Every structure is written in C-alpha cells, then in structure tokens.
Amino acid sequence: MFNFDLDDVLLLETAKIPHRLNLFTKSGKYEFYGRLQDYEKKYTELFRCSRSALINIKNISEYNASTKMIYFDSSLSCKCSITKTRELKRRILANK
C-alpha cells in the first residue's frame, strides 16, 4: 500500500510486463498492478496524454510542440499523442 501526494506524481505509464504500471514521482519509481483507466477516473487531475500514459501537468518542465515530447526533468520524458496535443496545450496554459 502506497500513499503519495498527487503533487509529487510526474508520470503513470504502462510497464513492459502486462497488467503492471510504472509510477514516477519526484522521489523515485514504483511498479504495481493496475489499469490506467481506473486511475484516470479516480484522479481527474491526471491527464491522459497517450494510450499508455497519465501525466501530472503541474510537474511538466518543458513541452516541445514540434516533436510532441513532454519533459519532466533531465531523465524523464514521454511522447504526447497527436490527438491530445490541443487539450494538453490548453491545460498547460490554464495551469500557469
């Protein structure tokens, strides 16, 4: 059982092992069983940027619109789906 402050969450993505998720926080990486859609419904603050990832928009350090890459810190990034870019830009501007 893990308890995290939602402000510390950077990225929640599917793992290479089926039915497992990787949670990246400011303090580390955690792996557990689950489904992204369950967390998407439970935590509306997280944004579904692609089929396999939920992100916390508050913790984005950079977004490159030409490559569709979202950067959180020097070592962590993920790609945004083309269909989600307009909503991502809107949410980033609303969050500033």
Side-chain angles (χ1 to χ4, degrees), residues 12 15 33 44 55 60 65 70 75-76 81 83 87 95:
L12 180 64
Y33 287 101
T44 57
I55 61 170
I60 293 175
I70 302 165
S75 63
L76 185 62
S81 168
T83 59
E87 178 67 17
N95 196 29

Side-chain angles (χ1 to χ4, degrees), residues 29-95:
K29 176 185 172 188
Y30 306 91
E31 190 171 307
F32 56 92
Y33 287 101
R35 295 179 354 177
L36 274 181
Q37 66 186 26
D38 295 338
Y39 292 97
E40 182 180 18
K41 290 176 187 173
K42 188 173 182 180
Y43 301 104
T44 57
E45 301 88 353
L46 298 177
F47 175 69
R48 186 116 186 204
C49 67
S50 69
R51 182 180 242 181
S52 62
L54 290 171
I55 61 170
N56 188 346
I57 292 182
K58 295 177 184 176
N59 293 325
I60 293 175
S61 62
E62 181 185 346
Y63 172 62
N64 187 331
S66 61
T67 62
K68 311 282 188 284
M69 289 300 291
I70 302 165
Y71 299 97
F72 298 97
D73 56 25
S74 60
S75 63
L76 185 62
S77 64
C78 76
K79 191 151 179 106
C80 184
S81 168
I82 292 172
T83 59
K84 301 287 186 168
T85 55
R86 178 177 283 159
E87 178 67 17
L88 177 63
K89 289 177 187 178
R90 187 187 69 74
R91 286 199 182 192
I92 289 173
L93 290 174
N95 196 29

